[in-house]
Amino acid sequence: MIYLRLIAESFRFAWQALRSNLLRTILSLLGVTIGIFAIISVFTLVDSLERNVRDSMSFIGDKVIYVQKWPWSFGPNYPWWKYFQRPEPNLREFKLLERNLSNDAGAAIFADKGNNTFKQGSNSYSNAGLFGVTYEYNKVAEIPIQEGRYFVPQEVDAARNVVIIGHEMAEALFPFTEPLGQEVKVAGQKLMVIGVMEKQGESMFGLPNFDQMGIIPYGTFAKMFDVGPDGIGSTIAVKGREEDQGLLELEYEIRGLMRNIRGLRPRDEDSFALNRPEMATQAIGGFFEVVGLAGWVIGGFAILVGGFGIANIMFVSVKERTNIIGIQKSLGAKNYFILFQFLFESVFLSLIGGGIGILLVFLLTLIPQDMMKVSLSVSNIILGLGVSAVIGMLSGIIPAVLASNLDPVIAIRSK
């Protein structure tokens, strides 16, 4: 009970300090509010950016290795002339890989072409992407079907004219009718719609968007466009197993098989690139780390000022309540009771400032955004409150120690 009384009394004193000089308290807490707002808003934006980037990259899958002609690079001095003469991965190489791989959870080959126009009656949809994929592409990457279904093996093997379209495309081509079973025309070919994908929303950094895309069998794509060395290049995608955390076994196996398929000698350099989505996320992650560090620096200075403000409030509070402290001690209050009383008051005041900062961040997340969905996570709320509590504790420790060590006789006589 004594601890409950201590907390209740400390809460009452803190509230009285807040109300007795409201303007002084608000100005003192402003530093903590601004600091927590700066830190949590930056981390909220970074988390939302990372989440939206990962969602936008869901079409390329997780734990996937891509066999391509060009390696992914995110730095300067890209030696493009070194890779220009490399051959494109082809269907024969894919079938040999698919037949001989033992450490994979699925493999597919796909090709894509941008800037296509889909037509249906008097309606048209321009600047659409078109993907030609083999059957197991849905094992490599996530294809969220809202209506209809995915391909069946017979449709892919026979290169039938069927298509799965994006949500935005479906709304543009079929504003008043059900798209399933209807025909659309693209590149001179009529394709029957067998599925509509879920709405994805605008993607980040110009990444492909399922809403503006059509997916067809790889053989159908090859009938419509020139796929090969002098035409549109293909990509082989291999999904790793869950137990292969680093995908090292799969990468070694793919490299060995591809070198054998292409007849490379031991000292020959690879004539292909093995790319992984982690390479992109790591490059983006470095940028996010810099932004997060900047948030800590900017917010840190504001919190430092706020900490001095809270310390100032606590020193004034000790001065104003010296007589009360003396009475409490004369009635048997222990030093730790006085210490915790003022320390709790300091933490409580700091939490008020931090809570206001978090509330401001939350209000900002309610503003509608077209590019991405911004949300305040529980972890960031806990971080903000935790930093506020630490600042309150550090700011109030010295005044609390001074108050707890006051001589009761001298304290009672003070005015």
Side-chain angles (χ1 to χ4, degrees):
M1 291 297 295
I2 190 172
Y3 291 105
L4 293 177
R5 288 176 57 197
L6 172 64
I7 292 174
E9 192 169 337
S10 299
F11 180 83
R12 183 168 56 85
F13 277 128
W15 185 249
Q16 287 177 352
L18 185 67
R19 293 180 58 187
S20 61
N21 199 327
L22 189 61
L23 181 60
R24 183 192 68 185
T25 306
I26 290 175
L27 292 175
S28 300
L29 296 182
L30 195 59
V32 175
T33 299
I34 294 174
I36 295 299
F37 173 79
I39 293 173
I40 302 305
S41 60
V42 168
F43 277 108
T44 298
L45 287 173
V46 168
D47 291 346
S48 300
L49 275 170
E50 284 188 302
R51 183 170 56 255
N52 281 271
V53 167
R54 294 183 188 280
D55 291 343
S56 299
M57 295 180 69
S58 63
F59 79 100
I60 62 176
D62 181 38
K63 298 179 74 71
V64 179
I65 296 178
Y66 293 90
V67 183
Q68 296 175 299
K69 174 179 178 177
W70 302 90
W72 298 350
S73 178
F74 303 94
N77 303 322
Y78 185 73
W80 59 269
W81 58 90
K82 183 179 179 181
Y83 313 119
F84 184 75
Q85 299 298 328
R86 287 180 173 181
E88 293 278 0
N90 55 54
L91 188 61
R92 182 187 70 86
E93 293 173 339
F94 162 68
K95 290 182 176 179
L96 288 172
L97 273 180
E98 186 181 34
R99 191 180 305 125
N100 292 285
L101 283 171
S102 59
N103 292 308
D104 70 308
I109 186 171
F110 64 91
D112 65 281
K113 181 182 180 298
N115 198 26
N116 301 281
T117 299
F118 282 71
K119 296 181 179 180
Q120 201 285 321
S122 60
N123 300 320
S124 65
Y125 188 84
S126 303
N127 199 27
L130 189 62
F131 264 59
V133 303
T134 51
Y135 175 69
E136 289 198 333
Y137 184 75
N138 65 335
K139 292 184 179 180
V140 172
E142 180 184 356
I143 302 181
I145 303 294
Q146 179 177 313
E147 299 178 56
R149 59 176 176 82
Y150 186 67
F151 307 114
V152 296
Q154 293 82 356
E155 290 171 334
V156 177
D157 294 339
R160 293 179 184 169
N161 287 11
V162 290
V163 62
I164 302 171
I165 60 176
H167 188 273
E168 186 177 310
M169 187 188 300
E171 289 184 337
L173 297 178
F174 304 97
F176 307 111
T177 59
E178 173 66 34
L180 299 181
Q182 303 289 333
E183 286 189 340
V184 296
K185 191 172 183 180
V186 59
Q189 292 285 329
K190 290 183 178 180
L191 308 172
M192 186 178 73
V193 179
I194 63 169
V196 177
M197 289 177 279
E198 294 178 3
K199 186 173 183 179
Q200 181 184 6
E202 192 168 352
S203 62
M204 301 293 297
F205 302 109
L207 294 173
N209 190 332
F210 274 141
D211 293 345
Q212 307 160 353
M213 186 184 299
I215 302 177
I216 61 177
Y218 184 81
T220 309
F221 188 93
K223 289 190 304 183
M224 297 166 60
F225 307 104
D226 181 18
V227 178
D230 300 322
I232 299 174
S234 299
T235 297
I236 298 173
V238 185
K239 176 82 170 181
R241 297 181 300 184
E242 289 298 326
E243 57 268 25
D244 188 4
Q245 295 297 325
L247 298 183
L248 293 178
E249 293 181 10
L250 181 59
E251 185 172 340
Y252 292 148
E253 187 179 20
I254 294 173
R255 176 169 279 111
L257 287 172
M258 283 298 298
R259 290 183 63 86
N260 184 54
I261 291 169
R262 294 194 171 181
L264 299 176
R265 293 172 294 184
R267 293 188 178 182
D268 289 343
E269 188 178 347
D270 290 346
S271 60
F272 54 88
L274 300 183
N275 297 317
R276 293 163 63 174
E278 298 94 296
M279 300 164 65
T281 55
Q282 286 173 4
I284 297 172
F287 167 75
F288 289 148
E289 288 178 3
V290 173
V291 174
L293 180 61
W296 274 112
V297 172
I298 295 170
F301 282 112
I303 287 178
L304 184 64
V305 174
F308 286 125
I310 292 175
N312 177 61
I313 292 177
M314 297 311 300
F315 278 118
V316 173
S317 183
V318 171
K319 183 70 175 176
E320 291 175 345
R321 286 162 31 201
T322 302
N323 185 263
I324 297 175
I325 295 170
I327 295 172
Q328 286 178 320
K329 284 198 164 189
S330 66
L331 293 175
K334 303 294 184 182
N335 284 359
Y336 72 84
F337 185 92
I338 305 298
L339 175 71
F340 285 144
Q341 188 180 73
F342 281 91
L343 203 57
F344 180 84
E345 182 178 334
S346 174
V347 171
F348 176 70
L349 291 172
S350 184
L351 284 174
I352 291 177
I356 295 172
I358 293 173
L359 178 62
L360 292 175
V361 176
F362 174 72
L363 294 176
L364 286 179
T365 63
L366 299 179
I367 299 175
Q369 299 289 332
D370 294 330
M371 281 295 294
M372 67 175 183
K373 182 180 179 182
V374 180
S375 59
L376 179 61
S377 65
V378 176
S379 60
N380 282 332
I381 293 175
I382 294 173
L383 175 64
L385 294 177
V387 172
S388 300
V390 170
I391 292 299
M393 194 172 296
L394 294 176
S395 302
I397 188 67
I398 295 177
V401 170
L402 292 176
S404 65
N405 290 329
L406 285 174
D407 184 274
V409 177
I410 297 176
I412 291 176
R413 291 177 178 176
S414 65
K415 294 181 180 179

